[in-house]
């Protein structure tokens, strides 16, 4: 049995689903953020696997762009989470309930 | 070795905006000037970007003229120039309308103004990209700037709460979008939209499942950005919690960028799959309109009301999207006039309830007609425009997208949309009644800044002018593309 790109794309789909479900069920902002990172890495795996299967470099190159964007999101996201944590001493999104209606 | 074609002319307006943003940050570090100087740099950057865009428009001789410089990344065509005009107008109006916030931010005003310019660049690139990775980059440049802007008054707990919610849901949406991009890449082997179109025209897909899932995820990701149901839940909280001075720009910029990318992807790459996506988009449109109108009716906070009305308007614009590329004129007319009304509305909210605050109860607008007839009049025109009363631009806009959807065979959607717009009158009339017929409380008179005053005059004139004489703007939008 050979492990072809299809296997990697299936694994990526599973990782993406785990990230999306974690995003929906977890309530700690840091863990939710980690779930987003998991989803982005699933995207990278899909790009690489598809690029390999199709014999084009576009997939591999796209990964760099996704990585850069993910890094930029980390910078802004962690700053926001730290600001929230400083004001409230909690990173649980359930405590963020001043805005509703 | 082949170098990609470099055409600075195609991205000159964006370069001007980035130069403005960098200049603001460096001037601020070196000389710590008055906020007004920084505002001057913003005005200079926006005006030069607009002038360069006029030059681009004239250089593109015919409506269908398109080149794709930078290795097929950038689309140099009239649609992207038109989108940039709308974005620049919204950015200028947003800064003018929220000027009091920037003055109050003090040393942080430079960051906020630079972020406004960078967000404009991001959404502009969303509109002028014809490659999915480039669209993603534009989306992220715009979105990440907006996350920071939402939390720019971070000492207020509502502001950082809004920033956190916007950030978590926005990055989730971005991840969904880029996964959709990866799957369409897996399905077609291309990332350039024209390449995908050529692939789909030349091949019969025996197993289109991966491509269809990818396309669905792309629609979902962009649906988040334009706040369409069921992906709208962030919008009311963010609009309410973010400082009022920038909310108008945030809401309008995200809508323009999102719809520019959505229409570009669907109309350029996937016209051959219209049957597959148009019914999904129609369902999202119908639910957005219905949910947006009903929830807007029950809000007691004007900003949440505007947020839910924005959800409904996203649905109305999607009503045009289902008709395909023939509706492009109507979609862009709608986007142009609605975003102007939106920015004007939030500028008035900022003037009445404080540019940095996050409470804007309907009660604060009681008797506004006696306290400030100018603001009450401007708000009335903007609200009537959003409601789509005849002789305002909103009526022409709604009419245009409804006709397109009807001709495309989506009669049921048009009926839902027309019924909902009748009910939506109640949403806007409620605010107008409070402004004109309720006794004022002991609230201090609301005085807009000079910049906000001019900006509101311009928005009012635009709303009425394009309601009475819509033809020039319609011609402009029609000349922007060819079908």
């Amino acid at each position: 049995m050979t492990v072809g790109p299809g296997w990697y794309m299936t694994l990526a789909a599973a990782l993406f689903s785990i990230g999306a479900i974690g995003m929906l069920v977890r309530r700690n902002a840091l863990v939710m953020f980690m779930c987003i990172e998991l989803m982005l890495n699933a995207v990278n795996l899909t790009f690489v696997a598809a690029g390999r299967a199709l014999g084009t470099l576009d997939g591999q190159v796209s990964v760099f762009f996704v990585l850069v964007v993910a890094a930029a999101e980390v910078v802004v996201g962690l700053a926001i989470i730290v600001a929230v944590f400083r004001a409230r001493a909690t990173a649980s999104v359930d405590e963020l309930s001043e805005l509703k209606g | 070795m082949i170098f990609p074609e470099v055409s600075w002319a195609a991205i000159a307006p964006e370069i001007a905006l980035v130069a403005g943003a960098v200049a603001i940050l460096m001037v601020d570090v070196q000389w710590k000037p008055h906020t007004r100087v920084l505002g001057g740099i913003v005005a200079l950057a926006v005006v030069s970007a607009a002038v360069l865009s006029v030059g681009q428009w004239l250089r593109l001789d015919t409506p269908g003229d398109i080149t794709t410089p930078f290795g097929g990344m950038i689309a140099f065509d009239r649609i992207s120039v038109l989108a940039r005009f709308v974005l620049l107008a919204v950015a200028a109006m947003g800064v003018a309308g929220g000027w009091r916030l920037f003055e109050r931010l003090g040393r942080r005003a430079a960051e906020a103004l630079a972020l406004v310019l960078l967000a404009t660049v991001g959404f502009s690139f969303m509109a002028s990209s014809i490659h999915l990775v480039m669209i993603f980059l534009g989306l992220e440049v715009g979105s990440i700037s907006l996350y920071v802007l939402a939390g720019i008054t971070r000492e207020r707990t509502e502001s950082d709460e809004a920033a956190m919610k916007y950030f978590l849901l926005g990055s989730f949406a971005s991840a969904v979008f880029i996964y959709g991009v990866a799957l369409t890449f897996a399905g077609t082997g291309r990332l350039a939209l024209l390449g995908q179109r050529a692939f789909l025209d030349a091949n019969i897909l025996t197993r289109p499942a991966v491509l269809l899932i990818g396309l669905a995820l792309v629609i979902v990701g962009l649906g988040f950005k334009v706040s369409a149901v069921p992906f709208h839940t962030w919008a009311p909280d963010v609009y309410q919690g973010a400082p009022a001075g920038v909310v108008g720009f945030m809401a309008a910029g995200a809508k323009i960028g999102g719809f520019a990318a959505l229409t570009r992807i669907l109309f350029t790459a996937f016209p051959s799959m219209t049957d597959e996506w148009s019914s999904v988009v129609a369902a999202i449109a119908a639910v957005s309109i219905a949910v947006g109108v009903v929830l807007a009716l029950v809000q007691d906070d004007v900003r949440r009301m505007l947020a839910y009305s924005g959800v409904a308007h996203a649905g109305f614009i999607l009503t045009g999207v289902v008709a395909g590329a023939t509706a492009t004129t109507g979609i862009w007319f709608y986007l142009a006039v609605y975003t102007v009304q939106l920015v004007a509305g939030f500028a008035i909210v900022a003037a009445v309830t404080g540019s940095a605050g996050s409470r804007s109860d309907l009660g604060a607008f009681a008797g506004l007609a006696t306290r400030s007839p100018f603001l009450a009049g401007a708000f009335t025109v903007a609200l009537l425009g959003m409601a789509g009363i005849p002789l305002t631009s909103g009526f022409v806009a709604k009419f245009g997208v409804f006709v397109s959807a009807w001709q495309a065979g989506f009669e049921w959607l048009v009926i839902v949309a027309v019924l909902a717009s009748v009910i939506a009158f109640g949403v806007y009339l409620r605010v107008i009644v409070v402004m004109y017929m309720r006794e004022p409380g002991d609230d201090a008179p609301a005085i807009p800044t000079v910049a906000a005053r001019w900006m509101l005059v311009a928005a009012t004139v635009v709303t009425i002018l394009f309601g009475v004489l819509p033809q020039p703007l319609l011609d402009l939008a029609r000349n922007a593309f060819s079908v």
Side-chain angles (χ1 to χ4, degrees), chain B residues 274-364:
Chain B
T274 307
D275 291 340
E276 279 87 353
W277 57 254
S278 64
S279 47
V280 176
V281 174
I284 296 175
V287 180
S288 299
I289 293 169
V291 171
V293 167
V294 169
L295 289 180
L297 272 174
V298 300
Q299 299 302 320
D300 288 321
D301 186 288
V302 175
R303 284 203 237 170
R304 294 188 81 86
M305 187 277 280
L306 284 174
Y308 281 113
S309 114
V311 172
H313 280 282
F316 288 129
I317 302 173
L318 286 173
T319 306
V321 174
V322 296
T326 48
T328 308
T329 309
I331 292 167
W332 278 105
F333 186 89
Y334 202 124
L335 272 174
V337 300
Y338 170 63
T339 49
V340 166
Q341 291 153 6
L342 188 62
V343 176
F346 275 110
I348 293 159
V349 171
V352 173
T353 61
S355 60
S358 59
R359 289 275 166 267
S360 39
D361 292 327
L362 199 50

